[in-house]
Amino acid sequence: MRPRYATPLVVLISIGTASCGGATNADQWDALVGQFLETYFEFNPTFAAYQGRHEFDGILPDMSEEGLRRNIDWLKSAKAEVLAFDLESLDAQRRFERGYVLSVIDNDLFWFEEAEWPWRNPNYYSLSPDVYLTREYAPLEDRMRAYVRWAQAVSTVTEQAKQNLRLPLPRSYIDIGRIRFGGLAGYLEDDVPGVFASVTDSSLWAEFGPASTQAISALRDFDQWLEDQRPEQTEDFALGAELFSKMLWATERVDVPLDRLEEIGREDLERNLAAMREACAAYAPGQAVPECVESVKAIKPVGGAVVGARNQLGMLEEFVRANELVSIPGTERALVDESPPHRRANFAYIDIPGPYEEGLPSIYYIAPPDPSWTPEEQAQYVPGVTDLLGVSVHEVWPGHFLQFLHANRSQSRFAQVFVGYAFAEGWAHYAEELVWESGLGDGDPEVHIGQLLNALLRNVRLISAIGLHTQGMSIEESERMFLEFGYQDPGNARQQAARGTYDPAYLNYTMGKLMIRKLREEWTAETGGRDAWREFHDQFLSYGGPPIPLVREAMLGEGSGPPL
C-alpha cells in the first residue's frame, strides 16, 4: 500500500486564511479542506510525492524536535478551526467530510503526542526512494534528479532520528530498524545504479555518485548505531491498556471495551478453526489438522511465489467480473515483483499510485525468504499455492488494488488522499472470505484451507496486539500463537510476533473485516440480502477510506449501534 502516515516539514502554513473569519458556506468549507491538504503536504512531502504531487519529489520532512513540535502545533490549530466551523451550515456530504478530517487529525496527534512514535520507534523514520525507482511517472532523468535530491537529504533524517530516539530501545525495535536501514543501504548500493543505467547525462551521474555514497554511509552508520544499543535493549514495547484504547478511538473511532474486542476476536478465531477442521476432514480424512495444513502448504507455486502470483491475477480478475462482486473502475493494471531488501519484514505488500497520478500500474511485491534462516525455514516460508492465492486476493483482486481504484475516484479529494488502516486492511481481508463465499474454487477444500490460513493469521494478530500491549504477553508467547493457532511457518511466526510490538494497530485487519461484515449484513437485510452485495460494496468503497464507524453511520443513519 502507499504510505498512509507521514512526517513533518519546517514550513508552517495556517489554514485560517481559508475560513474567512468563521464563515459557514460550502465554498469556504471546501477552501478550508483544500488548504488543509496543501499544508499537510508541506509538512509531509514524502507522503505528497507518493500521492503523485511531484513538486515535492526528493524532499524529506523536518524530523527534528523543533520540526515535530511545529507539526503538532499546526495539527492542533487545524483541529480547532475545523471544530469551530458551523456544522449546521454544511450539507450531509460536507458534514461527513468534517468528521473524516477530524479523524485524520486525531490519528496523527495520537501517534505524535500519545504514543510518542518519533521518540520511541525507529520504524517511524523509515525511508524509501521507491517512488522514483519503480513508478514511471516521468522520464528516467527527472526521476534520477529526484533520487539525488532524496539521497542528499538522508543523512539529515538519520541524524535527527538518533537525536530524537529515547534509549534504551526494545529489542524488536532495533531489529526492525536494522532491517529497514541496513537493507536500504544494500539496496542503494547494489540495485539502484542499475535502475538508472540508461541515463547518459554525465553531469547527473557526477551528482549521483557522491549523493548515493553519502546516503549509503548515513544508513550504515544508523544501522550500526542501532546495533550498538544491543547491550541495553529491553522488552519495554507495550502501550498499556489505556493508551491502546485511546489508539482505537483516535485512529479508527472504535470505542469497544478491550475485553469485549478480544472476545469478538476469539469468537472469529474459533469460527475459522472450526472451518479449518471441517476443510481438512474433507481434504485429508483421518489426518490431523497440522499435518493436513502442511500437506497443502507443500504444494508450492511453480517458478516461485512471484511467478505464481502473476499467474493468479488474471483468473482472479475474471472471477470478480463474472460474479459481479463489485464494480471495476478504470483500466489500471497490477504487476508483481520481488520486494526490495528494505521492505522484507512482511511477506507481501502493494504499492499503488496516488490519486494525482494517471494511468500508472501498481506493483504487488513479494518478499523472498531471509537468507540467514536455515534452508528448511526458507523453503517453508514460500507459501503453498492456495495460501498465495489468498494473498493475491488480499493485495489485488478484489482487495487493495480494487479498493484504491474506487478511492482514487471518490468525489472528495480528501477521501482520495487519506485511506485509513482498518478501512484498507479490513476491506482486503474481507475480500479473502468474500471470494470463497462467492464460489472461488467451487468448494475445493484445498482452496478453503488457503483462505483460512490467511484468516487465522489475522485472527492471531488481533489477539497478539491486545496481549502484547495490554496483558504482558511476550514476543515468544505471541510467536507460539502464530505457530499453533495460525499454522504459520517459523519465519513468518517470528516476523508476525515482532511486528505486533512496533505495529500495535495490526489488529485492524480482523477488526476492519468484522466491522464490514456486520455492516453488510445489516445494510443488505433491508436492501435485497445477498443479491445486494455488489451494491453494498460499491457504496462502501465510494467513501474513500475513513474510519468504518463513520461509514456505518452514513449508510445506516445515526444511532446505528456498535460497529462490532
Side-chain angles (χ1 to χ4, degrees), residues 189-206:
E189 185 169 53
D190 299 335
D191 298 291
V192 170
V195 173
F196 299 116
S198 63
V199 174
T200 58
D201 187 331
S202 58
S203 62
L204 190 51
W205 278 106

Side-chain angles (χ1 to χ4, degrees), residues 223-436:
D223 179 40
Q224 184 59 52
W225 182 86
L226 289 167
E227 182 59 28
D228 290 343
Q229 311 312 314
R230 288 285 186 202
E232 305 299 324
Q233 69 186 15
T234 73
E235 300 299 320
D236 184 20
F237 52 77
L239 291 178
E242 181 179 356
L243 208 55
F244 197 89
S245 293
K246 287 183 178 179
M247 176 191 74
L248 295 177
W249 171 254
T251 65
E252 300 297 344
R253 294 301 192 247
V254 170
D255 58 359
V256 177
L258 291 182
D259 57 351
R260 176 57 184 150
L261 180 59
E262 182 182 6
E263 181 182 22
I264 291 168
R266 288 188 180 276
E267 288 171 356
D268 196 58
L269 171 66
E270 290 302 323
R271 178 177 72 94
N272 287 319
L273 287 171
M276 180 66 86
R277 290 191 292 270
E278 183 179 343
C280 278
Y283 179 75
Q287 197 171 66
V289 172
E291 287 72 28
C292 162
V293 169
E294 288 306 312
S295 298
V296 171
K297 286 184 173 182
I299 305 171
K300 304 293 185 181
V302 177
V306 171
V307 173
R310 286 175 182 153
N311 292 335
Q312 291 171 343
L313 296 190
M315 177 272 293
L316 288 174
E317 180 183 1
E318 177 55 33
F319 180 84
V320 172
R321 291 186 185 278
N323 288 273
E324 298 186 333
L325 297 182
V326 56
S327 299
I328 301 178
T331 59
E332 296 92 328
R333 310 308 300 164
L335 309 177
V336 188
D337 208 343
E338 184 176 289
S339 302
H342 62 294
R343 297 293 301 272
R344 294 178 181 175
N346 206 50
F347 175 70
Y349 71 98
I350 189 166
D351 178 48
I352 301 174
Y356 295 91
E357 307 279 23
E358 292 185 6
L360 295 177
S362 297
I363 304 179
Y364 161 25
Y365 287 105
I366 296 175
D370 188 325
S372 69
W373 295 344
T374 67
E376 182 182 9
E377 288 177 337
Q378 291 185 50
Q380 289 176 325
Y381 186 77
V382 178
V385 171
T386 59
D387 190 358
L388 180 64
L389 182 65
V391 179
S392 296
V393 169
H394 182 101
E395 301 296 342
V396 186
W397 297 110
H400 287 314
F401 175 70
L402 180 54
Q403 184 249 309
F404 274 93
L405 291 183
H406 282 264
N408 285 348
R409 289 164 173 81
S410 171
Q411 293 181 0
S412 164
R413 177 65 84 181
F414 190 91
Q416 294 173 11
V417 170
F418 292 102
V419 176
Y421 200 164
F423 191 102
E425 296 299 353
W427 168 264
H429 184 32
Y430 166 85
E432 299 161 22
E433 191 161 1
L434 170 66
V435 296
W436 168 254

Side-chain angles (χ1 to χ4, degrees), residues 395-533:
E395 301 296 342
V396 186
W397 297 110
H400 287 314
F401 175 70
L402 180 54
Q403 184 249 309
F404 274 93
L405 291 183
H406 282 264
N408 285 348
R409 289 164 173 81
S410 171
Q411 293 181 0
S412 164
R413 177 65 84 181
F414 190 91
Q416 294 173 11
V417 170
F418 292 102
V419 176
Y421 200 164
F423 191 102
E425 296 299 353
W427 168 264
H429 184 32
Y430 166 85
E432 299 161 22
E433 191 161 1
L434 170 66
V435 296
W436 168 254
E437 292 175 313
S438 301
L440 184 68
D442 296 322
D444 184 346
E446 183 183 341
V447 174
H448 198 193
I449 291 167
Q451 178 260 314
L452 290 167
L453 282 170
N454 283 274
L456 291 167
L457 168 68
R458 278 49 177 260
N459 286 138
V460 179
R461 282 179 180 170
L462 184 146
I463 295 165
S464 280
I466 296 172
L468 288 165
H469 288 277
T470 74
Q471 298 171 350
M473 180 186 286
S474 69
I475 296 174
E476 289 72 24
E477 288 171 326
S478 171
E479 186 177 329
R480 284 196 293 273
M481 284 192 65
F482 281 105
L483 290 168
E484 295 172 14
F485 298 106
Y487 299 105
Q488 297 299 302
D489 63 90
N492 243 319
R494 279 197 299 274
Q495 285 184 340
Q496 294 301 315
R499 179 178 170 183
T501 68
Y502 60 81
D503 180 14
Y506 80 159
L507 87 167
N508 279 327
Y509 291 76
T510 293
M511 189 174 77
K513 176 196 75 173
L514 294 176
M515 286 194 287
I516 296 170
R517 285 181 64 86
K518 186 172 188 284
L519 175 58
R520 182 190 73 188
E521 296 313 305
E522 294 177 9
W523 190 85
T524 58
E526 304 296 328
T527 56
R530 188 165 182 145
D531 290 341
W533 279 12

